[in-house]
């Protein structure tokens, strides 16, 4: 707000008058601010769309790779034997018999109140001996010395009532490779549990019988890409079955269609034209941010064409991927599953081709360097910056204008004051003249 000079002499509301003049002068700036707001709203909308399209490009690129359809699932006839698949899995069936589980070694000393020797020796399965010298013969110091030696062996002091304590030594990991020998002079020891590998037998009871061991209860790549974890010993064979994961393949294809439809929904919603009624009853039509936008329309059309065009002369609708009357995509899971069961290679090739085309169209729009949507965002941001500079220039211009008007009206009030003073002086002078000079009659 400028200097208040209201009604000093003239009695006018000079501040309001100046504000009104400035408001008229600021109309171009007000229009610019409206354009900035509109441009920022549009830019935000395009950025959101660009993010969705970029995510679709990534998903479609992955779906276009043949390895993405190398999906298999494994089942087991026993809840105590679990099977999981990884990259490289292939269909197959295998019977296994679980002979034993992997276990840690546990060795316990006789009752002790203190360690009877100055040292103890631990020898691993490879024959490497390590002499440990505790800080004292205290059992606590022996436990600390073993646990900090980094040998993969854990020592624990166990209270055994009137007999005092025993020390328990356990291998940190299961398997025969974790076996150890404890030597402590006169200290008696008992191996409570031996370190052992897990063992399964393939084709048990036949001339092809084969035994396999593992340091843990998991056998990796028992079949290509098949890991098996055993939890109990089994007398009867457990059947492991690996089959193609049709549900996973269908989910990938359906996810591609869903990603497309999510983008189409955003474009449709932001392109809609709505009509409302204002307070006077007059109809007001409002166009969406994307209404009439050629760039957005092209992006949608390119994605739609990429997903719906024929592959090797055959329509994607034959495998359950079709275009609707409303300009969106539809995924028929049952039709896809039936086509996949009938011709898995052909269906996967079709989905790969569609995915590749969608990935290309999406990348053309969303590439972070030269994508059409990216370029639109960059252009709009540049325009907003330019308009921001123009608005700042208008601020300076309007400030100068206000200062100029305040000076004019201040000068006017000052001059009016001078004239009023002169008028008062003349009036007093005339009033003081004799009647003869003023023309008055007696």
């Amino acid at each position: 707000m400028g200097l208040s000079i209201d009604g000093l002499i003239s009695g006018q509301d000079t501040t309001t008058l100046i504000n009104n003049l400035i408001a008229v002068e600021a109309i171009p700036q007000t229009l610019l601010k409206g354009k900035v707001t509109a441009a920022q709203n549009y830019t935000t909308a395009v950025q959101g769309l660009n993010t969705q399209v970029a995510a679709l490009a990534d998903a479609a690129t992955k779906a276009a790779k043949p390895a993405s359809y190398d999906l298999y699932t494994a089942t087991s006839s026993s809840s105590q034997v679990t099977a999981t698949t990884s990259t490289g899995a292939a269909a197959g069936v295998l019977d296994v018999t679980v002979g034993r589980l992997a276990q840690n070694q546990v060795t316990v000393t006789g009752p002790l109140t203190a360690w009877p020797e100055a040292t103890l020796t631990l020898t691993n399965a490879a024959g490497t001996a390590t002499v440990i010298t505790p800080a004292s013969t205290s059992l606590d110091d022996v436990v600390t010395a073993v646990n900090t030696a980094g040998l993969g062996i854990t020592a624990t002091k166990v209270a055994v009532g009137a007999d005092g304590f025993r020390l328990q030594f356990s291998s940190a990991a299961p398997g025969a490779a974790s076996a150890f020998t404890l030597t402590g002079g006169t200290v008696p020891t008992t191996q409570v549990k031996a370190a052992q590998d897990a063992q399964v037998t393939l084709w048990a009871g036949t001339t092809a019988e084969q035994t396999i061991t593992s340091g843990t209860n998991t056998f990796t790549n028992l079949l290509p890409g098949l890991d098996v974890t055993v939890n109990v010993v089994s007398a009867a064979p457990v059947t492991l079955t690996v089959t193609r994961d049709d549900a996973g393949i269908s989910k990938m294809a359906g996810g591609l269609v869903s990603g497309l439809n999510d983008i189409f929904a955003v474009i449709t919603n932001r392109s809609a034209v709505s009509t409302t009624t204002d307070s006077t009853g007059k109809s007001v039509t409002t166009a969406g941010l994307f209404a009439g936008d050629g760039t957005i329309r092209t992006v949608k059309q390119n994605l739609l064409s990429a997903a719906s065009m024929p592959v090797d002369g055959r329509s994607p609708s034959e495998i359950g991927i079709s275009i609707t009357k409303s300009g969106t995509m539809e995924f028929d899971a049952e039709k896809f599953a039936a086509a996949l069961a009938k011709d898995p290679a052909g269906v996967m090739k079709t989905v790969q081709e569609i995915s590749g085309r969608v990935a290309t169209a999406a990348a053309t729009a969303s590439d972070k360097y030269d994508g059409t949507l990216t370029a639109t965002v960059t252009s709009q941001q540049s325009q907003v910056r330019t308009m921001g500079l123009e608005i700042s220039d208008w601020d300076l211009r309007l400030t100068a204008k206000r200062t100029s008007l305040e000076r004019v009206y201040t000068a006017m009030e000052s001059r009016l004051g001078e004239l009023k003073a002169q008028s008062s002086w003349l009036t007093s002078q005339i009033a003081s003249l004799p009647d003869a000079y003023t023309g008055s009659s007696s």
Side-chain angles (χ1 to χ4, degrees):
M1 182 67 69
L3 176 67
S4 178
I5 55 177
D6 293 340
L8 291 175
I9 301 299
S10 65
Q12 293 183 359
D13 185 357
T14 311
T15 299
T16 300
L17 179 60
I18 291 175
N19 287 340
N20 289 339
L21 290 171
I22 292 298
V24 172
E25 194 80 14
I27 288 176
Q29 186 193 46
T30 303
L31 294 175
L32 265 178
K33 289 180 178 178
K35 289 182 179 179
V36 167
T37 300
Q40 288 174 331
N41 291 339
Y42 175 74
T43 301
T44 299
V46 176
Q47 285 175 321
L49 178 64
N50 200 27
T51 298
Q52 281 187 275
V53 175
L56 176 65
D58 290 340
T61 297
K62 178 181 178 182
K65 297 177 180 178
S68 296
Y69 300 88
D70 189 17
L71 301 177
Y72 290 86
T73 184
T75 59
S76 169
S77 63
S78 170
S79 61
Q80 298 300 319
V81 177
T82 58
T84 57
T85 57
S86 58
T87 303
V93 179
L94 184 67
D95 289 340
V96 300
T97 302
V98 184
R100 64 171 184 249
L101 301 179
Q103 63 183 24
N104 306 61
Q105 177 178 333
V106 178
T107 297
V108 179
T109 68
L112 297 170
T113 55
W115 194 258
E117 308 289 339
T119 63
L120 68 155
T121 302
L122 292 168
T123 305
N124 64 22
T128 302
T130 301
V131 178
I132 296 176
T133 304
S136 72
T137 58
S138 160
L139 296 182
D140 290 330
D141 283 343
V142 173
V143 168
T144 299
V146 172
N147 290 342
T148 57
L151 300 176
I153 299 171
T154 301
T156 307
K157 187 173 76 170
V158 182
V160 290
D163 288 335
F165 299 92
R166 292 192 182 199
L167 292 188
Q168 175 178 290
F169 297 84
S170 308
S171 58
S178 297
F180 63 89
T181 301
L182 168 65
T183 305
T186 59
V187 178
T189 60
T190 301
Q191 187 181 82
V192 177
K193 189 168 65 172
Q196 71 179 25
D197 291 338
Q199 177 181 296
V200 297
T201 301
L202 311 180
W203 311 295
T206 72
T207 56
E209 183 174 288
Q210 178 74 53
T211 298
I212 301 175
T213 60
S214 170
T216 68
N217 287 326
T218 297
F219 294 79
T220 59
N221 289 320
L222 201 56
L223 290 177
L226 175 68
D227 296 340
V228 178
T229 300
V230 297
N231 297 303
V232 296
V233 173
S234 66
V238 175
T239 301
L240 306 172
T241 306
V242 181
T243 57
R244 189 180 64 242
D245 186 5
D246 287 358
I249 296 172
S250 180
K251 182 179 179 180
M252 183 176 294
L256 182 68
V257 173
S258 295
L260 283 162
N261 283 336
D262 289 343
I263 290 171
F264 296 157
V266 169
I267 294 175
T268 298
N269 290 338
R270 292 192 177 278
S271 299
V273 177
S274 60
T275 301
T276 57
T277 303
D278 63 14
S279 58
T280 65
K282 181 180 178 182
S283 295
V284 178
T285 301
T286 304
L289 290 172
F290 294 161
D293 191 310
T295 298
I296 303 298
R297 186 168 55 250
T298 299
V299 169
K300 179 180 179 179
Q301 187 56 52
N302 288 345
L303 290 173
L304 197 59
S305 296
S308 61
M309 292 294 287
V311 176
D312 293 336
R314 302 183 67 178
S315 171
S317 62
E318 294 183 21
I319 64 169
I321 299 176
S322 57
I323 188 171
T324 68
K325 293 180 180 179
S326 61
T328 61
M329 297 301 298
E330 184 177 61
F331 181 72
D332 187 330
E334 291 185 5
K335 191 172 184 179
F336 184 87
L340 185 61
K342 182 178 180 181
D343 181 16
V347 169
M348 286 188 279
K349 179 183 177 183
T350 298
V351 177
Q352 289 169 30
E353 178 66 26
I354 293 173
S355 299
R357 295 188 315 210
V358 169
T360 299
T364 298
S366 65
D367 184 85
K368 62 181 179 180
Y369 297 112
D370 57 8
T372 54
L373 292 178
T374 304
T376 298
V377 170
T378 302
S379 174
Q380 288 294 310
Q381 290 173 333
S382 177
Q383 290 181 36
V384 168
R385 285 193 295 270
T386 299
M387 287 188 288
L389 293 175
E390 292 180 19
I391 289 172
S392 296
D393 288 342
W394 268 105
D395 285 336
L396 296 175
R397 197 179 311 170
L398 293 172
T399 298
K401 184 66 175 179
R402 179 180 291 277
T403 301
S404 175
L405 289 171
E406 288 174 347
R407 287 174 179 171
V408 168
Y409 282 98
T410 299
M412 180 191 73
E413 293 290 341
S414 178
R415 184 58 179 159
L416 286 174
E418 292 175 358
L419 293 174
K420 185 175 182 180
Q422 290 178 3
S423 175
S424 297
W425 180 81
L426 288 172
T427 300
S428 66
Q429 290 299 310
I430 293 172
S432 64
L433 290 175
D435 291 343
Y437 290 99
T438 61
S440 299
S441 58
S442 55

